[in-house]
Amino acid sequence: MFIFLIIATPTRSFADEQADAPPEETENSAENAGDETDSVPDLEEVVVRSVAPNPGVKELPRQDIEKRKSADAVDVLETLPSVYADTGSRGERIFSLRGFDQRQTVVLIDGLPAYIPADGQMDLRMIPAEMIDHITVAPGPASILYGPNGLGGAVNIVTRRPGTDPFVQAALEAGTPKTFSERAVVSFKKNSVGALAAGGITTSEGFSLPESFSPTTNETHNDTRTNSDRRTGFALANTAIELGGGRNLKTSLFYIDGQKGAPPSTEESVPKLWRFDPWRAVGASLGLEIHKKRFHADVAAYGRFFENTLKAYDDLDYFSQDHVDSYKSTYRDFIAGSRARMGGRLWPLPGGDTRLRLWLQGQYDRHGQQPDKHEDWEINSRGLFTIAPEIEAYPFRKLSITAGVQNDIETPLEQPSDYDGKTTTAFGPLLSLRYFPVQVLSLSLTGARRSRFPTLHERFAESGSRILPNPDLQPETAWHGQLAVNGNLLQRYSIEVAAWAAQVQDLIEYKNLGEGNRRMENTDRARLAGVDANVGMKPWDWISLRGGYAYLYARRIEENGDTGDVENKPEHKATGELTLMPIEILSLSNFLEYVGERKYEDPDLLIWDTLPAYYRWDAVLEFTPVPELEIWIKAENILDSLYETQYGFPDPGRTYRAGIRVRFP
């Protein structure tokens, strides 16, 4: 069952604290919600976690990010077998969760929405790992307390927070071919004020292709992949101020700036020749937390601003823009809103206190596009409102029941004058039963309904294009069911298994209207089901092992009742990790990944084909002669495996990275 308290500590949310505590420890957790911990755990800590009261919910902690030397948010997410990442048509690294696309999954930064309103997603590869404290992944029928548009679940990226132990940290890293990164973090706390600042820049001239790649018309297999260069800079500033009386004030500000190429398809006869210059994201939030013995509240105001310029070129030189199909479009997207999370413990039952929780949210989404510097801006906007009450009761000592309902409302605001969009509502109930016969075992059964409103681009397409607007689009909806088992023995052996199924209605897809025109419409249905399994063990202090496997059944159900394949959804994915620490100052970590075959539709021939399965092996050798110094070497794709996406974008071949980090109190 799902236990989500609705406040956040300066280092991590209470929901995340609850996810690590066995059932018997949750009664007094609320009183300790304001305690601070160091945001960078020691690598020697036990790798498996306590039984999670949130079955199916996974936390990817800073400890694992450091251990893998992850580069960005997608690099972190890909460690889960239920997450599959792919390169999109614009060169963006986009993920799917249990077969649900990224735009069907609500993505948050510090519990607040973080997506580009135009298309409902953003390139999470632009979020460097140095910004991240941990990531919480809640697939399918998780708690309703994540806000709207979580058709397939939620991903919450929590940025680093000041801890009780001040420190100064700097890192340098270099990789092949010609990749450099410099990062720094400063954290301090004095009396009731804590602050953390981080920043860095990464530059890359591109990536190399596997030796087995055969040259094509669009890719001659030079030293680096065509148009694969990137530059990303970031800054992060977070504060936490204790006001007394159980009140905390938090502020957060981040800035990401970069430019990047979108490598052309190696397969399409007429590839897209695109570059993003610049690509920017700015986020700010101000929050007040109130912690009382039996009542908790968290109120936050936030804003997210995105600006990027997409340039289409004439040829593979990426210089001239004289062709009729070349252009320069500027996009500005903005999110602003406020959110309140409240909860309290009320009357006791034989198994524990009854808990009430409430999520209230109002948000303004705005998308602006200037197709050319001489043309007027096209503006579309909407309002989103959510009210989600939830009750959790313990009728017996070892049994809990959670019930709730999420009500979402979408109201069109600015839109083309020729269209009259209507207010749309979405209703999502949740019911979850959890039984824990012993402290080290948890069983749960959960059912929930989720929804996603169409994006602004899906409702109001660009003027002058062959994609026609459809302001009457209805939300996508999905009924989810899940049976999960979590077990943990002696803090050294753990197992998590979840069997789940989802029935999706009113899928939003392109429909051909003839004469080259298309429009987004609610068309088919889909049926998804699968099994997620994760195991971990640390039989001795010098060795740890983890393994994961995900099976996915995904079928589209057409209007006539026929079933068909769903694009780019691997039926099988497996992950493995083996870490050896022969001596205290030396560790060798190996990370394995297997991704099964994926079906896709050839963009030129419009026929279905299959992308082959592939294996990937990464390894990190880390040397820590003194606690203040770390030196590492990471080899990625050691097997030099060739794996392509549905758009014909080969991913990098074998690469190496070496780095050094110093950290002082």
Side-chain angles (χ1 to χ4, degrees):
M1 86 127 240
F2 300 94
I3 301 179
F4 282 85
L5 204 90
I6 52 281
I7 59 173
T9 71
T11 54
R12 57 195 304 198
S13 69
F14 189 86
D16 298 324
E17 296 290 350
Q18 290 286 66
D20 296 336
E24 284 75 9
E25 296 178 3
T26 61
E27 287 301 311
N28 297 322
S29 296
E31 284 77 2
N32 300 324
D35 293 346
E36 295 182 303
T37 60
D38 190 354
S39 60
V40 184
D42 294 331
L43 291 178
E44 291 78 15
E45 289 184 358
V46 178
V47 296
V48 295
R49 316 193 62 86
S50 300
V51 174
N54 309 323
V57 176
K58 290 290 294 182
E59 181 185 315
L60 305 170
R62 182 73 201 172
Q63 174 184 353
D64 289 354
I65 297 172
E66 295 277 6
K67 184 178 183 180
R68 299 182 68 100
K69 308 305 177 192
S70 299
D72 51 61
V74 178
D75 200 14
V76 178
L77 287 170
E78 282 190 279
T79 62
L80 293 179
S82 58
V83 174
Y84 169 66
D86 188 28
T87 304
S89 60
R90 297 186 299 188
E92 300 167 313
R93 197 69 175 162
I94 304 300
F95 73 86
S96 63
L97 174 62
R98 283 186 175 177
F100 288 90
D101 293 335
Q102 184 171 325
R103 65 169 48 92
Q104 296 172 319
T105 304
V106 57
V107 176
L108 309 106
I109 296 180
D110 295 328
L112 303 170
Y115 60 85
I116 298 176
D119 56 10
Q121 60 189 21
M122 64 178 290
D123 186 359
L124 297 184
R125 190 166 51 174
M126 299 298 288
I127 301 179
E130 201 69 18
M131 285 180 55
I132 303 170
D133 179 79
H134 65 279
I135 299 179
T136 301
V137 181
S143 169
I144 60 179
L145 301 180
Y146 278 115
N149 292 325
L151 180 75
V155 172
N156 185 23
I157 301 171
V158 180
T159 60
R160 300 177 71 172
R161 292 288 190 267
T164 55
D165 297 328
F167 67 89
V168 176
Q169 176 179 296
L172 297 174
E173 191 173 44
T176 58
K178 295 184 180 180
T179 298
F180 302 95
S181 179
E182 304 89 28
R183 308 181 295 271
V185 183
V186 178
S187 176
F188 77 89
K189 182 177 181 183
K190 185 174 182 179
N191 299 326
S192 61
V193 178
L196 180 142
I201 186 169
T202 298
T203 60
S204 174
E205 293 189 4
F207 59 81
S208 59
L209 290 170
E211 289 295 329
S212 57
F213 175 76
S214 299
T216 67
T217 303
N218 304 332
E219 181 55 70
T220 58
H221 202 332
N222 292 322
D223 292 337
T224 57
R225 176 77 162 95
T226 299
N227 201 37
S228 62
D229 60 292
R230 301 173 63 86
R231 180 193 63 81
T232 305
F234 81 95
L236 173 71
N238 287 334
T239 66
I241 304 172
E242 299 173 6
L243 302 177
R247 296 173 300 160
N248 296 323
L249 182 68
K250 294 197 312 179
T251 67
S252 179
L253 175 66
F254 67 83
Y255 174 74
I256 303 172
D257 182 284
Q259 58 185 25
K260 55 182 179 175
S265 169
T266 59
E267 303 295 335
E268 292 180 351
S269 57
V270 183
K272 300 176 178 65
L273 306 175
W274 289 344
R275 288 188 63 83
F276 285 92
D277 185 10
W279 190 102
R280 295 192 181 101
V282 181
S285 64
L286 174 65
L288 176 65
E289 302 170 352
I290 302 174
H291 307 267
K292 300 297 182 181
K293 184 175 182 180
R294 305 188 70 84
F295 172 78
H296 314 275
D298 168 16
V299 180
Y302 59 91
R304 276 57 168 124
F305 175 76
F306 303 91
E307 179 182 44
N308 59 74
T309 298
L310 179 62
K311 301 176 181 178
Y313 290 86
D314 299 337
D315 51 43
L316 292 171
D317 292 333
Y318 292 90
F319 180 76
S320 63
Q321 293 181 287
D322 300 325
H323 193 273
V324 65
D325 291 329
S326 299
Y327 58 85
K328 174 183 175 182
S329 291
T330 300
Y331 304 88
R332 290 177 181 168
D333 290 75
F334 183 69
I335 291 175
S338 61
R339 182 219 59 204
R341 300 182 292 184
M342 297 171 283
R345 294 186 295 164
L346 302 178
W347 59 90
L349 293 176
D353 289 345
T354 300
R355 307 183 182 195
L356 296 178
R357 293 181 280 270
L358 178 65
W359 176 295
L360 299 173
Q361 183 172 340
Q363 181 173 301
Y364 171 70
D365 285 6
R366 185 179 190 269
H367 167 61
Q369 176 183 354
Q370 188 180 34
D372 185 84
K373 65 180 180 179
H374 301 295
E375 298 184 20
D376 294 334
W377 283 85
E378 299 174 3
I379 305 297
N380 297 311
S381 64
R382 67 178 177 183
L384 291 174
F385 306 93
T386 296
I387 177 170
E390 185 180 82
I391 184 171
E392 174 191 347
Y394 294 78
F396 305 102
R397 177 62 180 167
K398 298 182 178 182
L399 178 68
S400 65
I401 302 173
T402 299
V405 61
Q406 180 167 321
N407 299 279
D408 298 320
I409 302 172
E410 179 197 39
T411 301
L413 298 175
E414 298 166 278
Q415 58 186 3
S417 58
D418 297 338
Y419 303 99
D420 182 22
K422 300 178 177 61
T423 296
T424 307
T425 61
F427 174 77
L430 174 143
L431 180 63
S432 180
L433 304 177
R434 179 171 177 258
Y435 175 61
F436 34 96
V438 293
Q439 182 175 349
V440 296
L441 182 64
S442 167
L443 309 174
S444 69
L445 179 64
T446 305
R449 187 175 189 257
R450 293 285 173 264
S451 62
R452 177 187 78 93
F453 290 118
T455 67
L456 290 175
H457 184 70
E458 289 170 335
R459 283 202 189 280
F460 308 107
E462 303 168 16
S463 64
S465 71
R466 290 188 174 273
I467 302 174
L468 304 182
N470 186 0
D472 295 325
L473 277 174
Q474 295 301 302
E476 295 177 321
T477 60
W479 282 100
H480 293 264
Q482 175 178 275
L483 176 64
V485 179
N486 288 25
N488 181 43
L489 180 63
L490 302 176
Q491 296 290 324
R492 289 185 177 270
Y493 304 91
S494 68
I495 182 170
E496 304 169 7
V497 180
W500 60 273
Q503 182 78 13
V504 187
Q505 304 284 345
D506 296 323
L507 278 172
I508 298 173
E509 297 177 308
Y510 282 114
K511 183 173 183 179
N512 292 320
L513 304 177
E515 299 181 355
N517 294 319
R518 296 187 298 168
R519 181 174 64 187
M520 285 289 188
E521 293 191 358
N522 296 106
T523 56
D524 303 332
R525 297 172 291 145
R527 185 174 296 121
L528 294 89
V531 175
D532 301 338
N534 292 276
V535 296
M537 61 184 67
K538 190 177 177 69
W540 300 283
D541 291 339
W542 57 273
I543 184 172
S544 66
L545 301 97
R546 294 183 191 175
Y549 170 74
Y551 167 75
L552 173 64
Y553 170 90
R555 295 292 183 272
R556 187 180 309 280
I557 306 172
E558 300 175 358
E559 293 180 353
N560 59 8
D562 294 340
T563 60
D565 294 314
V566 179
E567 272 198 307
N568 213 34
K569 308 297 184 212
E571 189 174 14
H572 306 279
K573 181 181 175 183
T575 61
E577 175 186 323
L578 169 63
T579 299
L580 303 173
M581 293 186 65
I583 56 177
E584 186 176 358
I585 61 174
L586 186 68
S587 68
L588 174 63
S589 300
N590 296 272
F591 309 98
L592 303 174
E593 180 182 63
Y594 166 79
V595 176
E597 295 180 344
R598 291 93 69 214
K599 301 287 186 178
Y600 78 104
E601 187 175 18
D602 187 286
D604 282 335
L605 303 177
L606 299 181
I607 60 174
W608 284 81
D609 203 346
T610 301
L611 291 169
Y614 66 86
Y615 296 88
R616 180 185 171 101
W617 173 26
D618 298 345
V620 177
L621 179 64
E622 184 172 331
F623 178 54
T624 311
V626 293
E628 295 81 12
L629 176 65
E630 296 176 27
I631 303 171
W632 68 85
I633 298 176
K634 180 174 183 178
E636 299 176 289
N637 193 9
I638 295 174
L639 301 176
D640 205 31
S641 299
L642 172 65
Y643 46 103
E644 298 182 318
T645 75
Q646 60 179 322
Y647 299 101
F649 297 142
D651 278 347
R654 185 186 300 112
T655 58
Y656 299 95
R657 288 193 281 141
I660 182 171
R661 176 186 289 112
V662 292
R663 173 179 167 127
F664 299 101

